[in-house]
Amino acid sequence: MTKKEGAASDSGCEDLTGLTADRLKIKIADYTSQKRSVLDPRTLVGLNVVFSMVMLISPSVTANVLVFCISSVIMILFKMRRRLWKYTLVFAAAVLIPFFLKSYGAFLSPAIKNALFIISMGVHKFVPFMMVAVVIFNKVDTKNLVSALNKMHLPKGFMLGFAVAIRFLPTIKKETAIISTGMKMRGIGLGVKSVFLHPMQSLEYALVPVLFRAVSLAEDMSAAALVKGAEAAQAPTELFAVKFGKLDAAFALGSLGLVTVAVLFNLDLVISNLLRSFAA
């Protein structure tokens, strides 16, 4: 084995030096035609918009549970099982708290019961939406997302704003952690104690550096978008394939069908009647 072959095998890359121009074009076409994510970005964004509307409008607990199950499947497909456990515990607690309050909440005051009920309802409606949003933020490449939205012929301002927001939020989260670490090194704490004892001072210490950093990041990201031709009149060249495939269609139709059945046929009442019949 030559040194060049040994280096290629050690790095896990295929040696392309001996290929002809035609063969190299075929390999590049095969590589760029591969899907970069399990589901199309339009599937994730569309389902998340529909699910958020359903959870806000519909009082059906069964529909919310189905939306959570679909969001869990999405997280599993994108290999985010560790985070899924955390969301599962939070969602299960939020769903079970109202039943616990109805059965064993007689010793609590009405104000506390109403507050816990409202918080649990808000949490179990917000968690599935948050799960899909986390997948979009962490697993969907911005270039693929912009290409997918561009195929929907949406306004360019909306697409760029959406893409910048997706990149901005994780970046500002990291910057906030860096700012918090720097303040701790200078002896400035931002814990619960300091927030309660000195709320205005803590707000100033936390908010001012984040705002300055956010302005700087926004300018950098805007400049980067302009350099990459965001305002060009021509459609950008797509390096990787963005396709709405059979898996996307089946997953979207199946998810929407299940949630529609749960809302229209009032599965909450059907399930409660079945449980009563079994109990009797």
Side-chain angles (χ1 to χ4, degrees):
M1 180 184 294
T2 62
K3 292 183 178 180
K4 187 182 294 185
E5 292 174 348
S9 61
D10 291 339
S11 62
C13 300
E14 185 179 356
D15 185 13
L16 303 177
T17 55
L19 296 177
T20 62
D22 294 336
R23 185 62 179 169
L24 186 60
K25 288 181 181 179
I26 294 174
K27 283 193 170 292
I28 292 175
D30 291 340
Y31 177 72
T32 55
S33 62
Q34 298 174 2
K35 287 189 68 173
R36 312 316 293 176
S37 61
V38 182
L39 294 175
D40 189 89
R42 289 166 289 184
T43 306
L44 299 177
V45 175
L47 287 178
N48 212 19
V49 171
V50 174
F51 289 164
S52 61
M53 294 175 62
V54 169
M55 288 183 289
L56 286 174
I57 297 172
S58 174
S60 174
V61 177
T62 306
N64 290 340
V65 172
L66 285 174
V67 170
F68 172 78
C69 294
I70 295 167
S71 302
S72 301
V73 172
I74 292 175
M75 295 196 79
I76 292 173
L77 289 175
F78 283 86
K79 300 179 180 179
M80 300 182 71
R81 294 180 179 86
R82 291 185 179 180
R83 289 195 180 185
L84 176 59
W85 284 110
K86 299 178 183 179
Y87 288 115
T88 302
L89 293 175
V90 173
F91 183 81
V95 171
L96 293 176
I97 282 176
F99 296 101
F100 176 81
L101 293 175
K102 290 180 181 179
S103 303
Y104 307 100
F107 61 92
L108 296 175
S109 64
I112 296 176
K113 288 175 63 176
N114 291 334
L116 290 175
F117 184 79
I118 292 173
I119 292 172
S120 64
M121 287 291 292
V123 169
H124 91 257
K125 286 180 175 293
F126 180 73
V127 166
F129 166 80
M130 188 65 187
M131 292 166 65
V132 182
V134 167
V135 173
I136 296 173
F137 284 141
N138 293 278
K139 295 295 184 179
V140 177
D141 187 63
T142 309
K143 296 185 290 294
N144 292 342
L145 179 62
V146 173
S147 297
L149 295 178
N150 192 34
K151 290 185 176 182
M152 298 175 66
H153 304 288
L154 296 174
K156 186 172 291 187
F158 171 80
M159 291 189 299
L160 292 177
F162 188 71
V164 169
I166 285 179
R167 296 307 307 155
F168 180 79
L169 292 177
T171 305
I172 202 65
K173 180 180 178 181
K174 294 178 182 178
E175 293 294 334
T176 304
I178 293 172
I179 291 171
S180 178
T181 304
M183 288 185 174
K184 289 180 181 178
M185 294 176 64
R186 293 174 173 84
I188 303 173
L190 292 176
V192 178
K193 182 179 178 181
S194 62
V195 170
F196 277 104
L197 296 179
H198 309 285
M200 296 305 298
Q201 189 178 20
S202 300
L203 181 63
E204 179 183 356
Y205 287 155
L207 192 59
V208 173
V210 171
L211 288 177
F212 274 101
R213 192 65 187 134
V215 171
S216 177
L217 286 172
E219 292 178 352
D220 294 343
M221 296 180 77
S222 299
L226 291 175
V227 170
K228 293 178 180 179
E231 293 186 350
Q234 295 82 10
T237 303
E238 296 179 0
L239 179 60
F240 298 107
V242 180
K243 299 177 182 177
F244 189 85
K246 296 180 180 179
L247 178 61
D248 297 288
F251 190 84
L253 291 176
S255 302
L256 294 175
L258 288 174
V259 176
T260 303
V261 169
V263 174
L264 294 181
F265 293 94
N266 195 7
L267 291 187
D268 288 355
L269 182 61
V270 174
I271 293 174
S272 62
N273 290 334
L274 287 175
L275 292 176
R276 288 174 184 173
S277 63
F278 282 124

